[in-house]
């Protein structure tokens, strides 16, 4: 059974700081996704990572994938308040997503 | 382009009653998925349709849950009879085709509370 571990669960950080969210998974996968969810809203797709060494960046967020280590990271650079949300990684195996627990990120002014 | 829509947004029912959730995928998306998140747990896969056919229903918890997608457009998820542990948020997602960098687009969810 595929297991996905995401940490930390909660992250409170000051504006302007950098931090990384980690996502480990237990078996090989087809794709890895990062999603963002604002309270009461749907999950918004941020990144889709396919291959080993893949790196994608959008604004202050950068995601990477190491399939050999079965690890993905979501790096936040110079955080700003509007990045406050819950972030999920999800591993796709045969089009079935297995989600991590989510990281609730709060950016403090 | 409209996103994935779900109806209702909230539902409060009593144990033993029946509830039907509806999902309208993005137009042209053949793949439709149901997921749910019960309190304090991860988001879990329920099932996957390709057009009107069930591709994978390995996540359906028991036979009180019935999903349909007649005509390959919208889908319904019926819970009958509902139990307390069915409370949670039910998400629907859709994608155009499998493979590559195609993402699953999620709806806002239906929040179900069984009393």
């Amino acid at each position: 059974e595929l297991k996905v571990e995401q940490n930390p669960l909660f992250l409170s950080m000051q504006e302007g700081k950098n931090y990384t969210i980690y996502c480990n998974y237990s078996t090989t996968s087809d794709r890895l996704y990062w999603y963002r969810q604002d309270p009461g809203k749907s999950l918004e797709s941020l990144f889709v990572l396919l291959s080993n060494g893949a790196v994608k960046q959008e604004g202050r967020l950068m995601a990477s994938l190491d399939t050999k280590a079965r690890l993905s990271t979501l790096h936040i650079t110079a955080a700003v308040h509007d990045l406050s949300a819950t972030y999920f990684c999800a591993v796709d195996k045969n089009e079935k997503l297995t989600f991590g627990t989510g990281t609730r990120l709060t950016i403090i002014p | 382009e409209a996103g994935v829509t779900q109806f209702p947004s909230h539902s409060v029912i009593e144990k033993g009653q029946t509830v039907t959730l509806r999902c309208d995928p993005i137009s042209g998306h053949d793949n439709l998925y149901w997921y749910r998140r019960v309190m304090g747990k991860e988001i879990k896969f329920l099932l996957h349709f390709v057009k009107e056919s069930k591709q994978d229903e390995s996540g359906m918890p028991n036979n009180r849950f019935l999903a349909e997608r007649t005509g390959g457009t919208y889908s319904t998820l019926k819970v009958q009879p509902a139990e307390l542990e069915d409370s949670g948020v039910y998400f629907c997602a859709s994608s155009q085709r499998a493979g590559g960098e195609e993402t699953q687009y999620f709806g806002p969810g239906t929040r179900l509370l069984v009393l």
Side-chain angles (χ1 to χ4, degrees):
Chain A
E1 182 187 343
L2 173 59
K3 293 192 184 301
V4 179
E5 290 187 1
Q6 187 176 339
N7 65 82
L9 263 62
F10 298 95
L11 178 57
S12 185
M13 53 191 291
Q14 286 186 315
E15 279 189 327
K17 300 289 188 182
N18 305 332
Y19 209 80
T20 301
I21 300 170
Y22 297 88
C23 177
N24 288 89
Y25 54 99
S26 60
T27 66
T28 57
S29 72
D30 299 322
R31 267 172 300 278
L32 190 138
Y33 297 86
W34 284 96
Y35 285 93
R36 167 184 172 144
Q37 187 184 32
D38 292 292
K41 301 293 179 72
S42 63
L43 282 78
E44 174 193 353
S45 179
L46 296 173
F47 302 106
V48 181
L49 302 169
L50 287 179
S51 56
N52 188 43
V55 177
K56 290 193 173 180
Q57 183 162 5
E58 181 73 34
R60 300 174 187 274
L61 301 178
M62 183 173 71
S64 66
L65 179 63
D66 181 342
T67 58
K68 293 180 181 177
R70 295 178 188 158
L71 170 69
S72 180
T73 60
L74 180 66
H75 187 73
I76 302 148
T77 302
V80 293
H81 179 69
D82 64 7
L83 290 179
S84 296
T86 299
Y87 293 84
F88 293 93
C89 67
V91 176
D92 182 348
K93 185 73 173 175
N94 300 323
E95 295 183 70
K96 176 165 49 176
L97 299 189
T98 300
F99 281 83
T101 52
T103 297
R104 187 179 294 183
L105 174 64
T106 303
I107 310 297
I108 302 167
Chain B
E1 179 183 293
V4 178
T5 58
Q6 293 186 245
F7 183 83
S9 59
H10 296 78
S11 181
V12 181
I13 61 172
E14 292 187 350
K15 176 182 171 181
Q17 290 186 320
T18 297
V19 63
T20 300
L21 314 180
R22 173 170 170 146
C23 169
D24 286 78
I26 293 171
S27 178
H29 281 195
D30 288 339
N31 296 281
L32 187 149
Y33 312 82
W34 285 97
Y35 294 85
R36 77 171 179 177
R37 187 178 195 187
V38 296
M39 186 69 72
K41 300 288 182 86
E42 294 88 351
I43 300 169
K44 296 281 193 185
F45 168 86
L46 296 178
L47 88 160
H48 170 205
F49 285 99
V50 178
K51 297 184 179 177
E52 66 274 10
S53 299
K54 291 176 185 174
Q55 181 78 10
D56 181 350
E57 51 183 331
S58 61
M60 294 287 264
N62 52 60
N63 60 9
R64 295 186 294 103
F65 289 75
L66 175 64
E68 294 180 321
R69 194 184 181 195
T70 307
T73 53
Y74 70 91
S75 174
T76 58
L77 179 64
K78 181 191 288 189
V79 185
Q80 180 182 30
E83 299 287 345
L84 299 179
E85 64 265 24
D86 300 332
S87 296
V89 183
Y90 290 76
F91 292 102
C92 175
S94 72
S95 69
Q96 189 166 27
R97 59 186 172 277
E101 295 194 356
E102 183 66 24
T103 194
Q104 293 187 19
Y105 296 91
F106 278 74
T110 293
R111 281 147 189 80
L112 174 64
L113 178 60
V114 183
L115 300 175

